[in-house]
Amino acid sequence: MRVEIWSDIACPWCYVGKARFEKALAGFEHRDRVEVVHRSFELDPHRAKGDVQPVLDMLTRKYGMSQAQARAGEDNLGAQAAAEGLDYRTRGRDHGNTFDMHRLLHLAKEHGRQSELLDALYRANFAEERSVFSEGDERLAELAVAAGLDADEVRRVLADPDAYADEVRADEQEAARLGATGVPFFVLDRKYGVSGAQPAEVFAQALTQAWGERAPLTLLQDGGDSAAEACGPDGCAVPRG
């Protein structure tokens, strides 16, 4: 079974939702047969790469809330993250464009390190003092290398704005086609969708339901009286004259 997760590194509920989903997956009976693919979604795709501002200021301007409301919201998110065992800085974080991070995540996917890089980016954005936005490509390269990627390959991708750009856009177009207007957005076997950072119990129920409703395999035969030759655990069929 495949689970696709659309998310953005700038999204605190994606940070929390990933932890909740992984808690559910860890307790799922068939977890070794579940493939998890992380897909790109930008919450602020039109923000220029160098346009970085404090999170609290972004919240007041984008959503029309007061500074007090923005601080209260961050405090609530900090408590939600702590309940999942996650560190979360409720003050002093900044916000910016995440496109290059998504491009690196597609590189990481090719090397089987996608989840590791996503965790590193989340942790850097939400828990660490150094910014993933204002320090430029060197900070992203440092995180990608720590997640197991080759330094030269990472720098080549960051230096080429077209590298993996089509893959990021394709993910975003697919999200729109599926009706995702926000993240995190979880799609199980392209049959069920779960929106938001649901409790682990909801993810567990969704995994069980999706697994139980998988269509059985239908074998197509050629209409003859015997099965075609094949190889199996006991060896291969030997043609007889």
Side-chain angles (χ1 to χ4, degrees):
M1 182 168 71
R2 169 181 280 201
V3 179
E4 298 163 276
I5 306 173
W6 275 263
S7 59
D8 191 13
I9 300 90
C11 164
W13 288 117
C14 297
Y15 179 47
V16 173
K18 185 175 188 289
R20 291 176 177 173
F21 172 78
E22 289 177 348
K23 184 182 295 184
L25 184 61
F28 183 53
E29 180 182 0
H30 307 287
R31 62 186 178 277
D32 293 337
R33 296 177 63 187
V34 177
E35 176 192 11
V36 179
V37 179
H38 295 280
R39 300 206 178 276
S40 301
F41 190 105
E42 296 172 274
L43 290 173
D44 205 352
H46 303 297
R47 179 178 290 269
K49 182 176 179 178
D51 184 7
V52 180
Q53 68 180 139
V55 165
L56 293 178
D57 290 348
M58 180 274 293
L59 292 172
T60 59
R61 293 173 184 173
K62 186 172 183 177
Y63 300 106
M65 59 178 65
S66 67
Q67 280 281 328
Q69 289 172 323
R71 287 192 295 269
E74 284 293 283
D75 290 341
N76 176 58
L77 280 163
Q80 297 277 353
E84 304 303 329
L86 301 172
D87 292 328
Y88 189 98
R89 295 179 65 228
T90 60
R91 301 291 185 273
R93 293 191 304 105
D94 56 14
H95 176 81
N97 181 282
T98 59
F99 189 67
D100 286 346
M101 300 179 204
H102 287 293
R103 295 196 299 115
L104 286 178
L105 284 166
H106 278 278
L107 169 66
K109 179 184 176 184
E110 290 187 352
H111 294 283
R113 308 297 295 176
Q114 191 182 43
S115 185
E116 290 81 359
L117 178 56
L118 186 57
D119 282 339
L121 291 169
Y122 277 147
R123 187 167 54 251
N125 185 38
F126 293 109
E128 298 177 4
E129 291 189 12
R130 293 178 60 192
S131 171
V132 294
F133 299 108
S134 61
E135 293 193 27
D137 290 351
E138 281 306 309
R139 176 64 168 145
L140 295 184
E142 175 188 309
L143 293 168
V145 170
L149 299 181
D150 177 76
D152 290 337
E153 190 172 14
V154 167
R155 290 191 172 91
R156 282 196 296 270
V157 169
L158 289 172
D160 179 5
D162 293 327
Y164 298 100
D166 288 344
E167 287 82 350
V168 175
R169 298 305 185 208
D171 277 356
E172 294 173 338
Q173 290 166 7
E174 185 69 1
R177 190 187 71 79
L178 291 171
T181 57
V183 285
F185 187 69
F186 302 77
V187 177
L188 290 75
D189 261 359
R190 289 297 173 107
K191 186 174 183 180
Y192 293 103
V194 179
S195 181
Q198 300 288 344
E201 294 79 11
V202 173
F203 288 124
Q205 180 182 358
L207 287 167
T208 299
Q209 183 171 345
W211 182 270
E213 295 185 14
R214 291 176 306 141
L217 186 67
T218 300
L219 292 177
L220 301 178
Q221 302 288 359
D222 62 4
D225 294 332
S226 61
E229 292 82 1
C231 295
D234 297 325
C236 297
V238 178
R240 299 183 183 274

